[in-house]
Amino acid sequence: MPETPTIESLLETWIGAFNSRDLDRHMALYLEDAVLFGSVDELQIGRARIRAYFSGRPPGVRVAAYPMPRVAMVTPDVASTAGHVEFADGDAPMPYRMTWLLVRKAGNWRIAQHHGSPRTGA
């Protein structure tokens, strides 16, 4: 399991796992019963469905930039984030909005809820 004692380390690990297409490392960052609303209409519930979602992305899609999002601490072990991520498919930019609901378990931050949607007019 990846060590993610800070939200910053979770973000860094998520970007690395996404860009390397390391689905095992990527899925370890999500709670077993996490939910994802991505670029398709259907809600993805649980790691297996989230894994299938990410495994279906085109091979050239990567995170070009994901600056540290705004973090709101709900409790010491629950946080929400909101920010912009710049995906790219080869040279074609794919600007997105991204929100996460994070939970700290056993000292590591994990994603409980993930929403990503394309930005228009970006």
Side-chain angles (χ1 to χ4, degrees), residues 67-83:
M68 187 65 192
R70 181 185 182 281
V71 175
M73 297 304 298
V74 178
T75 72
D77 294 318
V78 176
S80 67
T81 71

Side-chain angles (χ1 to χ4, degrees), residues 64-107:
Y66 192 174
M68 187 65 192
R70 181 185 182 281
V71 175
M73 297 304 298
V74 178
T75 72
D77 294 318
V78 176
S80 67
T81 71
H84 292 139
V85 59
E86 302 297 330
F87 292 106
D89 189 354
D91 291 332
M94 299 168 54
Y96 267 67
R97 296 178 213 68
M98 192 88 82
T99 64
W100 285 344
L101 179 66
L102 306 175
V103 176
R104 184 169 28 203
K105 292 199 172 226

